[in-house]
Amino acid sequence: MTSDAVVDDALVRSAFRVMGVLTRVGAAHDLSLTQLRVLGILRDRRLRMTELAGYLGLDKSTMSGLVDRAERRGLLARDRNPGDKRVVDVFITPAGLELADRVQAEIQRDLAPATGRLDPRQREQLAGLLELVLA
């Protein structure tokens, strides 16, 4: 196996493990993977609906339905953009932020058996390498 194939295989296997954790934790809170992504994206920002749809690769109608469901649960809210009243922003509510924090803690706990095998230097190195791959 070539070194590129080894790296690709390791990335795919790690993605499967992470997706398994995300799916399990999300399901425990009645959240889909896409809903988890929305909470993660909006944890530290307020976005136009079109920007959020772009991050997720979703069309406007799908995005509206997703936000509608999250609004009914009290996790997200919409408001007019302060700089352009024609634009609608979406943002996380305090209840959504509390859930996002709880989910993040559960994800970290569930990934700890894998990441805990690395010493602090190795974890820092891994994070740096993954940032390069994701850039």
Side-chain angles (χ1 to χ4, degrees):
M1 196 182 277
T2 68
S3 65
D4 286 345
V6 170
V7 169
D8 293 346
D9 185 62
L11 282 171
V12 169
R13 287 184 296 114
S14 65
F16 287 159
R17 173 173 258 176
V18 171
M19 294 297 281
V21 168
L22 295 175
T23 300
R24 191 171 49 258
V25 170
H29 295 281
D30 196 27
L31 295 168
S32 68
L33 286 174
T34 303
Q35 290 167 325
L36 278 178
R37 290 177 66 201
V38 168
L39 292 179
I41 290 167
L42 294 177
R43 282 180 79 165
D44 62 353
R45 68 194 85 165
R46 175 182 175 129
L47 292 175
R48 295 174 178 210
M49 286 283 286
T50 54
E51 292 172 317
L52 184 57
Y55 274 113
L56 299 167
L58 299 174
D59 62 44
K60 186 178 176 181
S61 65
T62 303
M63 189 74 249
S64 290
L66 188 85
V67 171
D68 287 344
R69 288 186 295 283
E71 274 185 308
R72 283 194 295 274
R73 289 183 64 182
L75 303 176
L76 300 179
R78 290 181 240 215
D79 196 11
R80 294 281 172 204
N81 182 288
D84 184 346
K85 298 297 181 194
R86 299 168 297 167
V87 174
V88 175
D89 287 346
V90 63
F91 56 94
I92 198 165
T93 64
L97 187 57
E98 188 275 326
L99 179 58
D101 289 344
R102 200 166 6 127
V103 164
Q104 179 64 33
E106 290 175 29
I107 291 167
Q108 287 175 335
R109 180 200 67 215
D110 288 0
L111 290 174
T115 58
R117 287 181 238 155
L118 303 173
D119 65 42
R121 184 188 58 75
Q122 289 171 318
R123 283 194 295 273
E124 189 175 304
Q125 186 179 24
L126 176 61
L129 291 170
L130 287 171
E131 287 298 329
L132 283 173
V133 169
L134 296 170

